[in-house]
């Protein structure tokens, strides 16, 4: 249960205000919610499975202390990466011609989400947590966290984007990543 809750919190924080959530916000202003949410489910679902599988393989191959030290350093790196900012993207990568066929739109949105998540903090965080814990709870928590953050982007992101300062979101996220990194490093000792 702890692994699932940790994965939920870490991935939710990583994804909140991230480029993929902004992508979903933009898509939700141009398309009906159903295909956007469908693309969200498919794209995030596939990327989370990939991240957990990769993290589990690394975790099985390395000693536990090395995984914890590496994980702690990765999360501290996420804190720095988040403070740097610069993840906003203007182009959502979705071809407007996909509006003609609902399955093409869904596939296009899922593909855009998958490409956006490649090398993203939330996927790296998921792989890191899976390397240090039980893959199934990590997958469940990470999937719930990323879907929750994505749903906020689809359903309420527009309203939030107009009212919340991006700097506050970035600073809060960076602080939480630093805390997770420090906790993992302390556990390694």
């Amino acid at each position: 249960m702890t692994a699932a809750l940790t994965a939920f919190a870490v991935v939710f924080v990583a994804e909140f205000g991230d480029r993929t959530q902004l992508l979903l916000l933009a898509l939700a202003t141009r398309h009906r919610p159903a295909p956007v949410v469908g693309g969200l489910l498919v794209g995030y679902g596939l990327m989370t499975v990939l991240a957990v599988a990769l993290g589990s393989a690394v975790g099985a191959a390395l000693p536990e202390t090395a995984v914890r030290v590496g994980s702690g350093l990765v999360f501290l790196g996420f804190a720095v990466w988040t403070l740097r900012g610069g993840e906003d993207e203007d182009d959502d990568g979705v071809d407007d011609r996909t509006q003609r066929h609902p399955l093409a739109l869904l596939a296009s949105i899922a593909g855009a989400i998958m490409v956006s998540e490649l090398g993203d903090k939330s996927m790296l965080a998921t792989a890191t947590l899976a390397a240090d814990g039980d893959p199934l709870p990590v997958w469940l928590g990470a999937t719930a966290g990323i879907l929750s953050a994505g749903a906020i982007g689809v359903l309420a992101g527009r309203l939030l984007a107009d009212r919340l300062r991006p700097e506050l979101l970035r600073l809060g996220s960076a602080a939480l990543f630093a805390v997770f990194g420090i906790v993992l490093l302390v556990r390694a000792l």
Side-chain angles (χ1 to χ4, degrees), residues 9-19 21-22 25 78-88 121 149 152-153 156-178:
V10 167
V11 172
F12 182 82
V13 167
E15 203 59 35
F16 202 77
D18 194 25
R19 66 179 175 242
Q21 190 181 43
L22 297 174
L25 182 145
F78 290 159
V80 172
W81 184 1
T82 302
L83 283 174
R84 284 190 43 217
E87 293 189 9
D88 298 351
K121 290 181 300 229
I152 288 171
R158 182 79 173 147
L159 178 65
L160 291 173
D162 290 341
R163 294 202 162 97
L164 291 178
R165 292 188 355 216
E167 303 85 38
L168 286 176
L169 290 173
R170 191 173 69 243
L171 289 172
S173 294
L176 287 172
F177 278 127

Side-chain angles (χ1 to χ4, degrees), residues 7-180:
F8 176 88
V10 167
V11 172
F12 182 82
V13 167
E15 203 59 35
F16 202 77
D18 194 25
R19 66 179 175 242
T20 310
Q21 190 181 43
L22 297 174
L23 166 67
L24 290 164
L25 182 145
L27 291 168
T29 64
R30 293 184 10 204
H31 304 289
R32 291 179 297 107
V36 177
V37 170
L40 161 85
L41 292 169
V42 171
Y44 278 159
L46 291 173
M47 290 306 293
T48 305
V49 165
L50 180 64
V52 167
L54 178 66
S56 294
V58 169
L62 296 175
E64 186 176 331
T65 301
V67 169
R68 286 190 177 158
V69 169
S71 297
L73 294 174
V74 166
F75 278 105
L76 290 174
F78 290 159
V80 172
W81 184 1
T82 302
L83 283 174
R84 284 190 43 217
E87 293 189 9
D88 298 351
E89 293 180 354
D90 294 330
D91 184 21
D92 61 21
V94 177
D95 187 349
D96 287 332
R97 293 173 292 171
T98 59
Q99 291 181 18
R100 289 183 236 153
H101 195 279
L103 287 177
L105 176 60
L106 182 122
S108 181
I109 291 170
I113 288 169
M114 290 175 69
V115 167
S116 181
E117 286 298 309
L118 285 174
D120 192 65
K121 290 181 300 229
S122 57
M123 291 300 106
L124 295 172
T126 300
T128 300
L129 290 170
D132 189 38
D134 187 2
L136 182 59
V138 169
W139 176 79
L140 288 171
T143 301
I146 205 163
L147 291 176
S148 296
I152 288 171
V154 172
L155 302 174
R158 182 79 173 147
L159 178 65
L160 291 173
D162 290 341
R163 294 202 162 97
L164 291 178
R165 292 188 355 216
E167 303 85 38
L168 286 176
L169 290 173
R170 191 173 69 243
L171 289 172
S173 294
L176 287 172
F177 278 127
V179 167
F180 281 116

